[in-house]
Amino acid sequence: MHAASLPSASGTSNGKPSPLRLRLVVEHELRGVRIDSFLMKHLRNYTRYRLQRMVQAGLVKANDSTAALDQRVYRGQRIEITLIEPPDKLLQPEAGPLDVLFEDAWIVVLNKPPGMVAHPAADTQQKTLINRLQWHLDRQTPLPGLLRPGIVHRLDRETSGVMVTTKHHLPHSRLGEQFERGRVSKAYLALVEGVIERNEGTIDLPIGRVAAGDSILMSAKADAREAKPSRTRFEVVRRFAAHTLVRAIPLSGRQHQIRIHLAESGHPVVGDEFYGPFGAIKRQRGEPDLRAAPSALGTVSPLIARHALHAERLGFTHPVTEDWLEFTAPLPGDFERALAQLDGPVP
């Protein structure tokens, strides 16, 4: 937690643990907010209603005086809360392996495996990367749920590679600002169909929603809805007889950007179930999966059972220490096996 927000558990009473007292110090970013809003930022697994009940019960103090619900906090103020109730919106923690590339008191950098959803969504509430991370963080606190993992950016289910998460609201908001302002450095490895002749280049095509119906897929076509400027730089890493391994560097942050730009250029990512050559849509979400059924555009490549896209590198400024950090993730086994199946490199 925050360096000035260290939890401390009280002793025991009649052999039973006493309620946990958590001591916090108001940061510059939260000065002037109501005390329940301040507590919600630090205790993200508690609802506002439950925190308000604890304030009203006299369990929250500000500079050693009992706090009022409508009280606003100021920078440097000492806030203490006695947690007599457990979190009421705790993510389901699930034990499982995590490939941790870096961890400190503020952030956790992970190598996300392919085929795993990053965070719970409407149709997936369990077996996500964040469920595993919640379990991991619960091992670090005296009470489960004191830390809630924060998602700063997302990788698609089938995309593997580097992903940064946070333990605290402060690094979450500061990292989020870096991503929004394009102050992070990202590079992906993609195996694409066909041989790209140029050694490097930039794809500069606006991206928006597919025009037809209520599709949630994206497009670089002229009729795309709400299109925004999008640029991807690429460089060829290796050429094969009928494929190319490229390093793609997104210079903007649109959904599915790399997959769409490469497909629009005539070189879709191998195994992509949605985006075909020159922007063709293979299928809409909810339609039969091409991995099990052929289509007019052909079957998904037998080289790999997902789209061959890997978040190879991520660089950013540490949200607290302000040091520049850069992390790389090795290719997962399925991607390595796909490359091994290809014909020998072409000069």
Side-chain angles (χ1 to χ4, degrees):
M1 303 191 75
H2 190 281
S5 305
L6 301 175
S8 60
S10 55
T12 60
S13 176
N14 298 324
K16 296 181 179 180
S18 299
L20 180 72
R21 291 191 182 91
L22 189 66
R23 296 181 179 89
L24 308 163
V25 175
V26 178
E27 309 94 328
H28 173 79
E29 286 84 352
L30 295 182
R31 69 196 188 284
V33 305
R34 272 182 34 149
I35 197 161
D36 54 340
S37 296
F38 169 80
L39 291 171
M40 281 190 68
K41 287 291 188 180
H42 284 270
L43 299 169
R44 294 186 289 175
N45 278 321
Y46 283 83
T47 61
R48 183 183 297 272
Y49 172 71
R50 181 159 289 187
L51 291 170
Q52 288 177 342
R53 284 178 55 192
M54 285 190 266
V55 174
Q56 292 170 328
L59 299 171
V60 178
K61 294 183 177 180
N63 286 354
D64 300 321
S65 298
T66 301
L69 187 58
D70 61 352
Q71 183 172 337
R72 295 185 179 273
V73 299
Y74 57 83
R75 181 179 180 180
Q77 192 174 24
R78 302 185 310 276
I79 306 297
E80 181 180 288
I81 180 170
T82 302
L83 297 172
I84 62 170
E85 297 181 358
D88 50 343
K89 61 174 184 178
L90 182 64
L91 287 165
Q92 180 64 44
E94 296 177 2
L98 281 176
D99 188 354
V100 177
L101 301 176
F102 174 83
E103 180 175 7
D104 63 10
W106 306 93
I107 62 175
V108 186
V109 181
L110 301 167
N111 181 12
K112 175 189 169 298
M116 175 173 279
V117 175
H119 60 92
D123 57 345
T124 305
Q125 292 298 316
Q126 297 179 342
K127 298 183 179 179
T128 76
L129 190 68
I130 293 304
N131 292 115
R132 288 189 185 180
L133 188 54
Q134 182 67 69
W135 185 89
H136 176 75
L137 297 184
D138 284 348
R139 310 277 77 75
Q140 303 176 13
T141 57
L143 178 69
L146 279 187
L147 295 175
R148 181 183 180 93
I151 291 288
V152 181
H153 65 124
R154 292 168 172 79
L155 295 179
D156 293 333
R157 179 199 294 263
E158 306 300 344
T159 303
S160 55
V162 185
M163 185 172 171
V164 60
T165 63
T166 61
K167 298 181 178 182
H168 185 273
H169 79 91
L170 193 62
H172 189 270
S173 62
R174 290 179 180 177
L175 275 175
E177 184 177 2
Q178 287 187 52
F179 275 85
E180 288 177 8
R181 297 189 177 187
R183 294 178 177 174
V184 299
S185 173
K186 296 184 282 186
Y188 292 73
L189 287 175
L191 181 64
V192 303
E193 298 175 5
V195 178
I196 298 178
E197 296 182 356
R198 290 187 296 165
N199 289 331
E200 60 184 21
T202 299
I203 304 171
D204 190 347
L205 292 170
I207 292 176
R209 297 284 180 188
V210 168
D214 58 353
S215 175
I216 62 172
L217 297 182
M218 309 300 287
S219 172
K221 295 296 184 186
D223 61 354
R225 294 176 293 162
E226 300 177 358
K228 296 180 180 179
S230 308
R231 297 173 66 233
T232 301
R233 190 166 71 245
F234 71 87
E235 56 188 45
V236 170
V237 179
R238 293 173 68 186
R239 292 185 178 91
F240 301 90
H243 298 84
T244 308
L245 179 66
V246 300
R247 178 171 290 108
I249 301 170
L251 304 178
S252 50
R254 312 301 173 217
Q255 184 179 0
H256 300 172
Q257 175 175 316
I258 292 172
R259 294 161 61 190
I260 292 166
H261 273 171
L262 291 172
E264 188 68 37
S265 70
H267 300 281
V269 174
V270 167
D272 198 314
E273 59 181 319
F274 296 115
Y275 302 110
F278 304 106
I281 300 297
K282 293 182 177 182
R283 72 181 185 100
Q284 298 289 343
R285 291 186 183 272
E287 293 179 354
D289 194 329
L290 291 175
R291 295 183 178 88
S295 75
L297 292 169
T299 57
V300 170
S301 171
L303 290 171
I304 192 168
R306 52 127 177 163
H307 59 241
L309 184 64
H310 175 71
E312 175 193 34
R313 176 175 53 80
L314 177 65
F316 55 88
T317 300
H318 191 288
V320 178
T321 68
E322 298 186 352
D323 295 324
W324 177 258
L325 303 177
E326 195 161 285
F327 303 95
T328 59
L331 282 174
D334 63 343
F335 206 130
E336 290 279 16
R337 289 189 292 272
L339 294 177
Q341 294 179 61
L342 296 174
D343 296 331
V346 175

